[in-house]
Amino acid sequence: MSDSAAAVLHTIRSRRVVRSYAPEPVPEDALAEILEAARWALNGGNRRILAFRTVTDGQQIRLLKSVSPGMLGMPPAVILICIDLDKAAKQGVQLDKHHTTWIDVGTALMNMSLAAHVLGLGSCPVTSFSRAGLRAVLELPDQLQPELILQVGHPARTSS
Ligand SMILES: Cc1cc2nc3c(=O)[nH]c(=O)nc-3n(C[C@H](O)[C@H](O)[C@H](O)COP(=O)(O)O)c2cc1C
């Protein structure tokens, strides 16, 4: 096996969710790399109807946590994965029939989690949240339907 193959497989095997974060901010270039990793994810029909929002404001993240029972940590950054309903409609995607859109959420999540991991960051997805609460906190436009929150941060010394 080549060194690069071994490195990729090691990355896949060594990633674990991190739910406890150090308070230090995540560098902007690291967040940009994580978003870039999402852009390269496998994508049903190459439709690309997901949209991403990055939040680094501490007050907004505290409010997000208050409407997200599945958010156990207090990360310095979160990346929200949304379905852009306008883009979906333009491409004739019916969410109740075309389940590939939710698989797209998963492929983006996986790429972002692995990118965070190789950048020395921890991450943890959250799907347990109030959509209405999250919309209100982030003042999301109507066409963005939130599907998943990815918490991102440097692992605390006692990460789980
Ligand atoms: C679709 C999805 C939703 C998840 N939702 C949550 C969540 O709301 N809160 C949480 O702490 N972890 C959540 N997780 C993380 C899983 O609990 C975690 O991936 C699983 O326990 C395996 O741990 P590992 O990824 O470290 O191997 C979610 C994972 C996935 C794939």
Side-chain angles (χ1 to χ4, degrees), residues 15-19 69-72 109 124-128 148 151:
R15 181 215 54 82
R16 296 277 73 79
V17 293
V18 170
R19 298 189 175 95
M71 198 169 153
L72 305 179
L109 163 66
C124 181
V126 176
T127 48
S128 171
L148 189 140
Q151 308 173 90

XYZ file of all heavy atoms in Angstrom, residues 15-19 69-72 109 124-128 148 151, ligand 1:
163
model
N -10.730 9.228 12.948
C -11.691 10.301 13.285
C -12.738 9.800 14.259
O -13.310 8.746 14.062
C -12.399 10.798 12.012
C -13.387 11.932 12.299
C -14.598 11.872 11.399
N -15.242 10.574 11.447
C -16.102 10.185 12.393
N -16.434 10.998 13.371
N -16.628 8.969 12.361
N -12.966 10.557 15.307
C -14.057 10.292 16.258
C -14.755 11.612 16.521
O -14.137 12.676 16.415
C -13.536 9.762 17.612
C -12.841 8.418 17.597
C -13.812 7.223 17.651
N -14.538 7.007 16.424
C -14.056 6.404 15.321
N -12.818 5.965 15.275
N -14.808 6.247 14.267
N -16.034 11.582 16.875
C -16.673 12.847 17.194
C -16.037 13.447 18.448
O -15.608 12.727 19.342
C -18.208 12.743 17.392
C -18.914 12.393 16.107
C -18.568 11.822 18.513
N -15.989 14.759 18.463
C -15.474 15.512 19.615
C -16.612 16.403 20.094
O -17.200 17.146 19.306
C -14.247 16.356 19.197
C -13.846 17.323 20.309
C -13.077 15.441 18.839
N -16.915 16.293 21.390
C -18.048 17.078 21.927
C -17.610 18.109 22.961
O -18.451 18.840 23.496
C -19.098 16.145 22.538
C -19.730 15.188 21.544
C -20.910 14.435 22.140
N -21.582 13.600 21.151
C -21.333 12.300 20.953
N -20.436 11.682 21.704
N -21.986 11.626 20.026
N -31.201 20.492 21.439
C -30.922 19.529 22.509
C -29.745 18.593 22.206
O -29.074 18.117 23.121
C -32.226 18.731 22.617
C -33.274 19.556 21.968
C -32.584 20.430 20.967
N -29.482 18.341 20.918
C -28.392 17.424 20.564
C -27.020 18.074 20.594
O -26.003 17.420 20.385
N -26.993 19.387 20.875
C -25.709 20.110 20.862
C -25.155 20.085 22.278
O -25.554 20.886 23.125
C -25.982 21.547 20.383
C -24.782 22.283 19.900
S -25.326 23.804 19.077
C -23.878 24.800 19.367
N -24.242 19.137 22.528
C -23.783 18.929 23.896
C -22.588 19.813 24.229
O -22.338 20.111 25.384
C -23.418 17.451 24.100
C -24.553 16.466 23.749
C -24.114 15.023 23.955
C -25.815 16.766 24.549
N -21.233 16.213 5.121
C -20.838 16.062 6.532
C -19.558 15.242 6.652
O -18.632 15.615 7.384
C -21.980 15.371 7.300
C -21.601 14.764 8.650
C -21.213 15.870 9.638
C -22.735 13.925 9.207
N -18.490 17.572 15.557
C -19.592 16.666 15.899
C -20.869 17.165 15.227
O -21.231 18.333 15.370
C -19.791 16.601 17.408
S -21.129 15.485 17.907
N -21.558 16.274 14.490
C -22.807 16.691 13.863
C -23.942 16.727 14.874
O -23.914 16.012 15.875
C -23.061 15.585 12.827
C -22.361 14.386 13.361
C -21.216 14.866 14.195
N -24.933 17.550 14.578
C -26.144 17.638 15.409
C -27.346 17.683 14.476
O -27.403 18.522 13.567
C -26.133 18.911 16.281
C -27.440 19.031 17.070
C -24.942 18.923 17.223
N -28.269 16.747 14.699
C -29.527 16.805 13.935
C -30.717 17.043 14.861
O -31.832 17.209 14.387
C -29.760 15.494 13.141
O -29.555 14.401 14.004
C -28.821 15.407 11.956
N -30.444 17.027 16.168
C -31.521 17.272 17.121
C -31.561 18.766 17.449
O -30.807 19.246 18.307
C -31.252 16.424 18.370
O -32.141 16.781 19.389
N -28.592 20.174 9.215
C -27.575 19.612 10.116
C -26.635 20.723 10.590
O -26.281 21.616 9.810
C -26.776 18.524 9.380
C -25.829 17.683 10.224
C -25.883 16.218 9.764
C -24.398 18.186 10.143
N -20.657 21.069 14.668
C -19.861 21.819 15.646
C -18.387 21.614 15.299
O -17.977 20.491 14.980
C -20.113 21.284 17.049
C -21.573 21.196 17.432
C -21.746 20.492 18.765
O -21.734 21.134 19.812
N -21.896 19.178 18.726
C -26.870 12.013 11.052
C -26.146 12.108 12.373
C -26.720 12.805 13.424
C -26.041 12.952 14.644
N -26.596 13.712 15.623
C -25.911 13.902 16.772
C -26.427 14.792 17.766
O -27.518 15.385 17.631
N -25.671 15.009 18.875
C -24.457 14.376 19.062
O -23.820 14.617 20.089
N -23.951 13.505 18.139
C -24.640 13.270 16.998
N -24.118 12.437 16.022
C -22.809 11.781 16.239
C -22.930 10.271 16.496
O -23.459 10.072 17.807
C -21.554 9.625 16.364
O -21.109 9.773 15.026
C -21.612 8.141 16.701
O -21.866 7.961 18.077
C -20.302 7.405 16.356
O -19.192 8.063 16.951
P -17.889 8.354 16.059
O -18.325 9.220 14.925
O -16.932 9.035 17.000
O -17.389 7.016 15.605
C -24.782 12.296 14.829
C -24.229 11.567 13.760
C -24.876 11.489 12.556
C -24.227 10.738 11.397
